Amino acid sequence: MTPALELQGAGVALGHRTVLSAVSLAAHAGEVLGVVGANGAGKTTLLRAALGLAKLAAGTARLGGRDVHRLSEIERAGLAGYLPQERRTAWNMPAWRIAALGAPHRPPAEAHALALAALEDMGVGALAERGVRDMSGGERAKVLIARLVVTGAPLLVADEPAAGLDPSAALKVMEALKARARAGAAVVATLHDLTLAARDCDRLAVMSGGRLLALGPSLEALSPAILAEAFGLDGEWVVTPTGPVLAARRLSQG
């Protein structure tokens, strides 16, 4: 089956500085692929390169088997929904209108219904008429996740969807993304919470210094050696009834 997203030897440079180097990976329908790494590891650049938002200095990026740089903006929007890390909204529109922006190709009544259903699934259905600038950061984040879901795209890409959320809200966001994967979409998300990533992602891509350090099932990708190299952690995984939990401490700096 053709991957929803594929990078082959992808490289990105900013001036004379290489920020992504020879990265190859693919995301498939039905899975949640997490991208983890320390700050500055290249996670956001990887997403932007995959979506054609960052110019490649080397390699290729494909969406649905097609070269992303040969796609029109409308074609790209049909193949991938994107939630950037920045959560600002330009206008204080009601939440349902923001969510409905995910489906501009749908008739207004249908987009409205999809938006209301997505907001309800995210636990903010009661806020459908509230302006998004009058919401807390966590509430606004759920509205933007609803907008992502409403796209109905075969690939959903989310940059730090759980950032700044309380534990319950973070779990809710990941449940929504996993539900889309179970429905047949491919989901790619960057995450900082390694326990959340290990529990909710089928595979993890570990980034360090713009390179792909590891790629595979969560606990294999986050082996003790990788935890040390990518995050400077002395850690191990404790398996609990609700999933793995990372027990770690910073490596001694000598």
Side-chain angles (χ1 to χ4, degrees):
M1 183 178 294
T2 302
L5 175 156
E6 185 177 17
L7 291 172
Q8 285 289 341
V12 174
L14 295 178
H16 298 293
R17 184 167 64 94
T18 298
V19 292
L20 200 70
S21 178
V23 172
S24 297
L25 55 76
H28 300 273
E31 76 166 339
V32 179
L33 173 64
V35 182
V36 298
N39 290 331
K43 302 185 296 297
T44 295
T45 301
L46 183 152
L47 298 188
R48 290 178 55 80
L51 295 173
L53 301 175
K55 183 179 179 181
L56 291 176
T60 59
R62 295 186 178 89
L63 295 178
R66 302 170 65 187
D67 187 326
V68 69
H69 294 290
R70 295 181 180 273
L71 297 171
S72 68
E73 290 186 2
I74 291 176
E75 288 173 321
R76 271 188 277 177
L79 291 169
Y82 178 44
L83 176 69
Q85 193 174 136
E86 178 57 66
R87 291 176 180 165
R88 290 183 182 176
T89 51
W91 304 283
N92 193 28
M93 294 195 297
W96 76 264
R97 288 192 178 277
I98 294 292
L101 290 174
H105 54 293
R106 305 270 189 173
E110 186 177 346
H112 183 203
L114 288 170
L116 292 179
L119 292 171
E120 193 66 37
D121 287 343
M122 289 306 303
V124 288
L127 305 181
E129 296 293 342
R130 182 178 297 180
V132 289
R133 287 191 168 183
D134 299 326
M135 295 180 174
S136 70
E139 291 168 341
R140 190 179 307 117
K142 292 178 182 179
V143 172
L144 296 179
I145 288 289
R147 184 182 66 186
L148 178 67
V149 169
V150 164
T151 67
L155 169 67
L156 301 183
V157 177
D159 197 357
E160 291 295 341
L165 300 182
D166 63 60
S168 177
L171 291 172
K172 185 71 174 176
V173 164
M174 294 309 296
E175 286 170 5
L177 294 178
K178 287 191 296 181
R180 288 299 304 140
R182 289 194 296 269
V187 175
V188 181
T190 65
L191 296 161
H192 272 299
D193 186 327
L194 297 184
T195 292
L196 193 68
R199 290 185 178 192
D200 291 327
C201 297
D202 300 295
R203 292 187 300 142
L204 290 179
V206 184
M207 300 293 297
S208 179
R211 298 178 298 113
L212 182 62
L213 201 59
L215 176 65
S218 298
L219 298 191
E220 292 180 19
L222 291 174
S223 66
I226 294 296
L227 287 171
E229 183 174 352
F231 302 97
L233 294 176
D234 174 14
E236 62 180 20
W237 292 96
V238 178
V239 178
T240 75
T242 57
V245 175
L246 179 62
R249 63 182 178 182
R250 291 180 64 246
L251 284 170
S252 171
Q253 299 301 306

